[in-house]
Amino acid sequence: MTSPLVRWLAGISADDLAAVLSRRPEALDRPQVSSLTDLASRLQDPDAVMMTAGTLPLPALQVVEVLQALGSEQHEARAGRQRGPAVGLDQLAAALGRKPDDAELAATLSVLTQRALVWPDGDQLRMAGPLWSAFEHPLQLGLPAHALFEGAPAAALYEIAAALGLPRGRTRATALAGVCAALADGERVRSLIASGPVTVRDLLTKVAWEGPLVIAGYYDRPRNGPLAWAERHGLLVWDGWQHAQMPSEVGMALRGPDWRAPFDPLPPAPELVDVAPEMLQRESAAAATTAVEQASALLGAVAATPVALLKAGGVGARELRRLAKSVGCGEPEVRLWLELAYAAGLVGVSGMRVVPTEAYDGWCAADPTGRLLPLLRAWPHLPAAPLAGEGSAALVRDALGMAAYDLRPALLQAASELPEGRGVAGGLAEVLAWRLPMLADDPAVLDGLWREAHLVGAVAHGALTPLGRALLTGAALDTAISALLPSALAEALFQNDLTAVVPGTPAAALATLLDTAAVRESGGGAVTWRFSPASVRAALDAGNTPDGLLADLRAAAVGGALPQVLEYLVGDVGRQHGRVRVRAVGCVIHAEDPTLVAEIAGARSLRPLGLTVLAPTVLASTLPVAETLAALRSAGYAPSGEDAGGVGIVERAARHRVPAPRRAARHRPPRTPADLSALAQRLLSSYVDEPEEPAVRPTPMSVARDVRDHAAHLTAAQRLLLIGAVSQGTPIEISYTDGEGESTRRVIEPAELDGPKLSAWCRLRDDERVFLLSRIESVSPVG
């Protein structure tokens, strides 16, 4: 028989079907959809259904919970059947305290139907199968009484019926029906509880409102205790192990006839404040500029010294503190820029270390807009929450990060809907909790995302900035960044205190030059470098000549002139540089000045080198070249290295790079509306109502194996009769011994055999029952 979902899909318009396809794109991720039946099976995929439910707003989720609670009785009785439970629209509306034609309820149902999570079937509503178990205890109510008492012994049911003042039934089924009917009578239940002990009223009231379970050992279990009293009257049903559960009828009775399920169709209204447009622009520009400077400094620090990973994975607190000190910002900012750099492919992992990728060099050469652009593109869907977990490792993926992946676009969307010129005073946590309640359940994550939005310049003074709007729409992002960031500066201001100041973002060539000859001291609105003899000597060690270095610095100076003190510093270091030269001949020190060689040979601080005078201008060292150079420099000399041929060695800082990772797309490119409309038209035009398919019966061979293994005590003729009945679904009469040792004769219609368990419709109980093959004493045809 055609499923209700397929029938509903076949009956809606092509535009509505295209809307379903656009809101459930995961149904199109596999090979092409061939029919409405194929589409329905994909829409019912449990993982896809639950992922879609995770993006539902609060009122839609509340409707799902009410439908699950109302359909639980049907669901228990018909578990596993194709059609599943159904709930009338009037039932749903009454449970929510609304009318069936309520506009807000209709809008909420529209949200669910557009995602094919709930759909109409005549005058009833059906729901995607996985959602019938979405909540462990929907509305904090337990299972219906008939489900909780289904396995109860007859003696226990007789005792409960007597405690409720019911006449003793002649059969177990009669007693069960009477107990369930009594518990469904709200007035009777409230009157019974009011007549009981105070401790019982307190216990049951708490369970009715806070959840259906109570720990069975928490309250005393003597015969006169509140838990035992409630169990004797069927108000709590013990599972025989750890918990007692309150039937849903009892919970509803204690809540009273006026209680209605919560329903919040309108989002909360946050407190608004006035925000001037110029304030937004100014604050966003400041945040964007700081982001470029801090990210550049951080990646420079990573390039200079690769970051070690913890054995368990991720960057630990020690490395984060080191990077924060190097960059001059807080650890939260380091977490954010490191995560964004990793997501943008600027850093990668190699050998338990975080190092720059090949893309980092091109990024360094870009202007400020080119640097910020890849970081901002990675931010909206960053699968991490770096500002939510203080003290935890960075570059570690967890559940908080996956929630943040979906929450950032929702945050930008909520901010875009604020009135023009208004911002929120305390953030959008309440709005996000209404839009995505299943994801926005951690205040630390919401607070962290709000701080992130301010750090990247997407939000300022509680309002969405033009940069944030560009991030939301995905259009003209580079233009929005360019409007905020000033052009990179190619000149620096050199001062008499041997510092160079760039009042803005330095161009890549200028930053490289100054990093070569000086030490970066600060960032922020202006970047400062300081020259020293050691820094100049490092520039000369890197292959620069004194005259060439001065020429480059003059070209980068405002006005083309350098302070005299810097000219003298470079000249003095240049005259000293190379006077002593180290040749790698295991290891030889030579100089043109015999007096200088004699001075070095007699220096007490250089005795660890084991120097030997080979000639008036030549010394031999017992240590390698690198250690000899370091010792001479520590002693105040300025040696330079040579190779075996006497050519000067150029010393440059080591560069650590790994190939840029290929970031696989998380989702396939979305189909255009035209594609979805065409697909909807094709599916509807090719639909043919499918005839009812015969039930799939188990093969006689598989049934015979189970009967042979678990019912060997039956005669051969009885086993054959049982095999035929299970294989064909024909009724048979059995003699059965239940768990209490009572023997009864029943007519059953076998439905399914699962090893030793036979599921069948029992005509005696007028319900589906499970029978153990080992307890079937005899089998005979229905007479």
Side-chain angles (χ1 to χ4, degrees), residues 565-648:
V565 64
L566 180 57
E567 298 262 7
Y568 285 163
L569 174 63
V570 176
D572 289 343
V573 176
R575 284 189 294 272
Q576 296 293 324
H577 189 265
R579 290 183 64 195
V580 178
R581 305 176 69 82
V582 176
R583 179 177 298 180
V585 185
C587 155
V588 173
I589 304 173
H590 66 96
E592 296 178 358
D593 187 352
T595 303
L596 178 59
V597 173
E599 176 186 331
I600 293 174
R604 296 181 60 182
S605 61
L606 296 177
R607 287 180 181 177
L609 294 179
L611 297 176
T612 303
V613 179
L614 301 181
T617 58
V618 181
L619 297 175
S621 172
T622 60
L623 297 182
V625 173
E627 296 181 28
T628 300
L629 285 170
L632 289 171
R633 288 167 180 165
S634 298
Y637 298 94
S640 61
E642 290 183 353
D643 61 13
V647 178

Side-chain angles (χ1 to χ4, degrees), residues 453-667:
H454 283 79
L455 287 174
V456 301
V459 172
H461 299 290
L464 191 69
T465 65
L467 178 58
R469 199 168 299 278
L471 280 170
L472 179 63
T473 61
L477 182 58
D478 53 348
T479 303
I481 298 175
S482 299
L484 297 176
L485 294 177
S487 301
L489 300 179
E491 292 183 329
L493 178 62
F494 293 86
Q495 303 181 110
N496 288 325
D497 61 352
L498 292 178
T499 60
V501 179
V502 179
T505 303
L510 176 60
T512 301
L513 172 63
L514 294 177
D515 284 334
T516 301
V519 177
R520 190 185 298 231
E521 286 192 339
S522 66
V527 189
T528 302
W529 284 263
R530 182 172 296 278
F531 292 89
S532 66
S535 68
V536 173
R537 186 180 65 231
L540 299 180
D541 290 340
N544 293 285
T545 64
D547 292 339
L549 179 59
L550 287 173
D552 292 340
L553 293 176
R554 291 190 191 102
V558 176
L562 297 175
Q564 193 175 50
V565 64
L566 180 57
E567 298 262 7
Y568 285 163
L569 174 63
V570 176
D572 289 343
V573 176
R575 284 189 294 272
Q576 296 293 324
H577 189 265
R579 290 183 64 195
V580 178
R581 305 176 69 82
V582 176
R583 179 177 298 180
V585 185
C587 155
V588 173
I589 304 173
H590 66 96
E592 296 178 358
D593 187 352
T595 303
L596 178 59
V597 173
E599 176 186 331
I600 293 174
R604 296 181 60 182
S605 61
L606 296 177
R607 287 180 181 177
L609 294 179
L611 297 176
T612 303
V613 179
L614 301 181
T617 58
V618 181
L619 297 175
S621 172
T622 60
L623 297 182
V625 173
E627 296 181 28
T628 300
L629 285 170
L632 289 171
R633 288 167 180 165
S634 298
Y637 298 94
S640 61
E642 290 183 353
D643 61 13
V647 178
I649 297 175
V650 175
E651 299 179 22
R652 293 189 176 93
R655 297 171 70 244
H656 307 276
R657 301 290 185 271
V658 295
R662 295 183 178 180
R663 304 295 186 201
R666 295 182 61 88
H667 301 288

Side-chain angles (χ1 to χ4, degrees), residues 443-464:
V445 173
L446 300 180
D447 180 65
L449 296 182
W450 189 243
R451 291 162 57 200
E452 284 181 25
H454 283 79
L455 287 174
V456 301
V459 172
H461 299 290
L464 191 69

Side-chain angles (χ1 to χ4, degrees), residues 99-110:
K99 296 181 178 180
D101 58 352
D102 181 76
E104 293 174 339
L105 176 58
T108 303
L109 288 174
S110 177

Side-chain angles (χ1 to χ4, degrees), residues 81 693-703 721-732 748-754 758-761 768:
R81 299 195 178 185
E693 297 180 1
V696 178
R697 308 298 307 181
T699 63
M701 187 65 68
S702 64
V703 174
L721 185 60
L722 180 58
I723 292 171
V726 174
S727 302
Q728 302 173 16
T730 55
I732 54 174
I748 63 172
E749 300 173 16
E752 181 182 3
L753 181 61
D754 182 11
L758 174 63
S759 299
W761 186 265
E768 189 173 297

